[in-house]
């Protein structure tokens, strides 16, 4: 991974006035480093912490909430801000996460469940509304029956690994398309979020 361009820090309050002068390639470098610093690396560090604490880790739901909100945030840079939050989540998930998400779970597709029951449940009520983060890293998804109904179980380690891989794929696509194609949407959102503070 390239260092921050032109000695930038990755912290917007310090960097904002210099970001407009970055070349297209430097904008990708900055985005990659910043998202790694504030999302990917901390998510992996937190996941490592939960692994040492076992299945009763108090950090597990924070891992899940951060992971799901990060999918949504990355979707803004993939599909643009005109999309609603759910569509942003779907855009990144469909384009960059495992095809296993498209498979059926106990209540619709796994991706729909990840949005409705995991992301929204955690963001609006501190709880996964149907299912949970459980299991080993060998199986991404499983269905379990609790008190007479089936719920989706998601391996938190596999989810974090999938997001990390998906993010790296997105950055590779940006570099490939730069300064056209996928880069144009990314650049508009980079300007809006990082430069204009919207």
């Amino acid at each position: 991974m390239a260092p921050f361009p032109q000695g930038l820090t990755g912290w917007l309050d310090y960097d904002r006035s210099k970001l407009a002068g970055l070349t297209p390639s430097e904008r990708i470098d900055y985005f990659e480093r910043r998202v790694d610093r504030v999302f990917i690396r901390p998510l992996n560090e937190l996941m490592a912490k939960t692994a040492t604490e076992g299945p009763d880790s108090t950090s597990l739901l924070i891992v899940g909430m951060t992971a799901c909100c990060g999918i949504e945030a990355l979707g803004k840079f993939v599909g643009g801000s005109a999309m609603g939050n759910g569509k942003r989540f779907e855009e990144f998930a469909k384009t960059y996460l495992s095809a296993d998400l498209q498979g059926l779970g106990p209540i619709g597709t796994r991706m729909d469940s990840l949005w409705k029951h995991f992301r929204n449940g955690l963001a609006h009520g501190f709880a996964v509304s149907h299912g949970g983060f459980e299991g080993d890293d060998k199986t991404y998804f499983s269905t379990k029956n609790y008190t007479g109904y089936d719920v989706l179980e998601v391996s938190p380690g596999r989810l974090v690994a999938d997001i990390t891989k998906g993010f790296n794929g997105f950055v590779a696509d940006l570099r490939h398309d730069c300064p056209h194609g996928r880069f144009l949407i990314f650049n508009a959102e980079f300007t809006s979020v990082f430069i204009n503070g919207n």
Side-chain angles (χ1 to χ4, degrees):
M1 185 178 306
F4 278 107
Q6 302 175 16
L8 297 172
T9 66
W11 306 115
L12 291 182
D13 287 341
Y14 298 112
D15 295 344
R16 193 177 309 274
S17 64
K18 302 170 191 156
L19 296 179
L22 296 180
T23 67
S25 179
E26 288 172 332
R27 287 180 180 214
I28 296 169
D29 290 344
Y30 185 85
F31 178 76
E32 179 184 31
R33 291 289 306 191
R34 175 160 169 81
V35 173
D36 180 69
R37 172 176 276 176
V38 302
F39 175 57
I40 299 293
R41 193 175 344 141
L43 190 59
N44 279 284
E45 289 169 359
L46 200 52
M47 191 61 233
K49 179 182 183 293
T50 66
T52 62
E53 293 176 347
D56 293 328
S57 171
T58 58
S59 304
L60 199 52
L61 291 182
I62 297 299
V63 169
M65 188 177 333
T66 302
C68 290
C69 289
I71 293 169
E72 178 185 336
L74 287 167
K76 181 176 187 172
F77 291 91
V78 173
S81 59
M83 298 178 143
N85 294 344
K87 288 294 183 189
R88 291 176 193 160
F89 183 95
E90 182 180 323
E91 184 72 17
F92 187 80
K94 279 187 172 180
T95 308
Y96 290 102
L97 298 185
S98 170
D100 290 344
L101 276 168
Q102 305 310 314
L104 288 177
I107 308 172
T109 67
R110 294 171 185 143
M111 186 181 64
D112 287 342
S113 289
L114 198 60
W115 170 255
K116 291 176 187 171
H117 306 300
F118 287 73
R119 186 273 182 203
N120 288 343
L122 288 165
H124 302 295
F126 298 108
V128 176
S129 57
H130 295 283
F133 292 105
E134 287 191 35
D136 57 36
D137 290 344
K138 295 177 189 162
T139 306
Y140 200 159
F141 304 103
S142 61
T143 300
K144 298 243 174 109
N145 187 284
Y146 292 104
T147 62
Y149 63 94
D150 289 339
V151 296
L152 182 67
E153 298 293 344
V154 177
S155 163
R158 289 286 299 269
L159 178 63
V160 170
D162 196 14
I163 292 168
T164 301
K165 181 179 176 186
F167 173 67
N168 291 334
F170 175 50
V171 170
D173 283 352
L174 287 175
R175 291 190 198 291
H176 179 267
D177 289 356
C178 185
H180 306 289
R182 199 175 303 269
F183 176 81
L184 297 175
I185 293 172
F186 159 79
N187 192 48
E189 295 308 320
F190 182 96
T191 300
S192 175
V193 173
F194 295 137
I195 297 173
N196 298 335
N198 296 326

